[in-house]
Amino acid sequence: MKKIGVKFKKNGKEYIFDDNNNNAKLGDCVIVETEKGQQFGNVTTIFNKEIEDKEYSKIVKIATKEDIEQNNKNIVEANNALNKAEEIAKKMNLDMKFLNADFTFDKSQLIFHFIADNRVDFRELAKTLASIYKVRIELRQVGVRDKAKVISGIGQCGRIICCSNFLKDLDTVGIAQVKNQNLSLNPNKINGQCGRLLCCLKYEDDNYNYYRENLPEVGQKIKIGDENATVISLDILNRKYTANTESNNKIVVEVPFEIYDKRK
């Protein structure tokens, strides 16, 4: 069966659905069935190759003009609900910052995302909102990386930050990636706008692992000709390292390109 990728938000995660003989095309608006109810989304990928063989949720139908109008109405009403939730939370003295609110297409559920420094007891808030909107209310506390994804901005590289531009998933980034890429542990250099380690440290790490192959470690003792030497620095992506010999000569050694040909 034909499979397609659907996003519910422009910069959101892509989900795979069964086309269900609807013959959806790239860019089509569609109504899909999810565990939260019916959702409105856009077709972002048509899979022409085989993907994992398992049961996928199905497209209900290609969205009609009326469906698109209904979705636009849902967006307006969700924004109004967001303002209402902020107002009620303030009256309840709840220390939470709302990011967004979304109705499912069939309006069976209203979902709010918020950030907070500590855990928040929002049970009374949920009850109040449910009594107003007569739907199931879900309040999700998310992290600062999710906030950055929603707000967006320009990173230190001069481009739109990755999480709001093209990354589908926010993978865990660790200090191991920083060390592997031979970067300074200066927070101003390795942290993004969210205050967490840069996302690019994760998805660039495979290249660093590859180019590190056959390079020595800093501090490693090696032989250069007849002299003993100590590796004092690495230039990983250019496949070079600098060593200091016993006679105090600094020598730059370049790893032959042939070593890297095996990946091609």
Side-chain angles (χ1 to χ4, degrees):
M1 295 290 288
K2 178 181 174 183
K3 302 297 188 296
I4 64 170
V6 175
K7 286 186 179 182
F8 303 126
K9 292 187 177 181
K10 182 179 178 181
N11 297 319
K13 180 178 178 180
E14 183 180 72
Y15 297 89
I16 299 175
F17 288 87
D18 190 323
D19 180 72
N20 196 26
N21 296 318
N22 281 283
N23 196 29
K25 299 178 180 62
L26 203 63
D28 279 351
C29 297
V30 293
I31 310 300
V32 298
E33 195 68 52
T34 74
E35 59 184 14
K36 293 180 175 58
Q38 291 187 358
Q39 296 271 53
F40 182 98
N42 292 92
V43 178
T44 50
T45 304
I46 303 294
F47 292 99
N48 296 317
K49 59 182 181 179
E50 290 295 322
I51 59 176
E52 185 180 358
D53 186 22
K54 68 174 188 178
E55 284 290 322
Y56 290 96
S57 296
K58 294 178 170 46
I59 289 182
V60 176
K61 63 176 179 175
I62 306 295
T64 63
K65 180 181 177 181
E66 290 75 19
D67 292 330
I68 294 172
E69 290 174 352
Q70 180 60 51
N71 182 63
N72 291 335
K73 183 180 177 182
N74 288 351
I75 292 172
V76 172
E77 291 184 6
N79 286 333
N80 291 336
L82 181 65
N83 294 331
K84 189 66 175 179
E86 288 175 338
E87 177 188 322
I88 297 171
K90 187 175 181 180
K91 288 180 180 178
M92 292 182 173
N93 294 316
L94 296 177
D95 186 16
M96 54 199 303
K97 174 68 176 177
F98 287 93
L99 297 179
N100 53 44
D102 297 287
F103 274 110
T104 54
F105 178 74
D106 54 10
K107 298 189 76 173
S108 61
Q109 191 169 356
L110 177 55
I111 304 165
F112 297 88
H113 292 93
F114 71 94
I115 59 172
D117 292 333
N118 302 298
R119 293 192 65 178
V120 178
D121 184 353
F122 49 70
R123 286 174 293 182
E124 285 303 316
L125 173 61
K127 288 179 183 177
T128 302
L129 291 170
S131 68
I132 295 172
Y133 296 103
K134 311 299 181 185
V135 298
R136 180 184 172 190
I137 300 295
E138 185 172 335
L139 290 152
R140 295 183 189 168
Q141 185 170 349
V142 298
V144 289
R145 295 179 76 202
D146 299 277
K147 177 184 177 182
K149 182 178 177 68
V150 172
I151 295 174
S152 190
I154 304 298
Q156 53 187 262
C157 59
R159 300 171 67 92
I160 297 174
I161 56 177
C162 301
C163 61
S164 69
N165 188 22
F166 66 88
L167 283 185
K168 297 178 182 178
D169 298 300
L170 298 180
D171 291 329
T172 301
V173 187
I175 203 69
Q177 279 89 30
V178 179
K179 294 179 178 178
N180 187 49
Q181 295 171 37
N182 206 31
L183 299 173
S184 165
L185 295 177
N186 181 345
N188 293 326
K189 301 278 189 180
I190 60 176
N191 287 349
Q193 293 185 349
C194 60
R196 300 292 190 265
L197 291 172
L198 291 162
C199 291
C200 55
L201 294 173
K202 177 70 174 181
Y203 63 75
E204 290 178 354
D205 204 49
D206 286 344
N207 274 334
Y208 278 90
N209 285 332
Y210 171 70
Y211 283 108
R212 257 186 178 276
E213 191 172 346
N214 298 298
L215 286 177
E217 297 293 336
V218 172
Q220 186 174 330
K221 305 296 183 182
I222 61 172
K223 274 274 192 182
I224 297 181
D226 295 328
E227 281 196 273
N228 293 319
T230 303
V231 178
I232 58 175
S233 67
L234 298 178
D235 184 355
I236 299 170
L237 296 182
N238 286 314
R239 305 174 297 281
K240 297 177 181 178
Y241 61 90
T242 302
N244 194 30
T245 67
E246 288 180 322
S247 56
N248 206 30
N249 289 323
K250 289 184 174 61
I251 299 175
V252 177
V253 180
E254 183 172 352
V255 177
F257 282 95
E258 290 77 12
I259 289 178
Y260 296 89
D261 287 345
K262 61 185 178 182
R263 189 174 68 166
K264 296 179 182 179

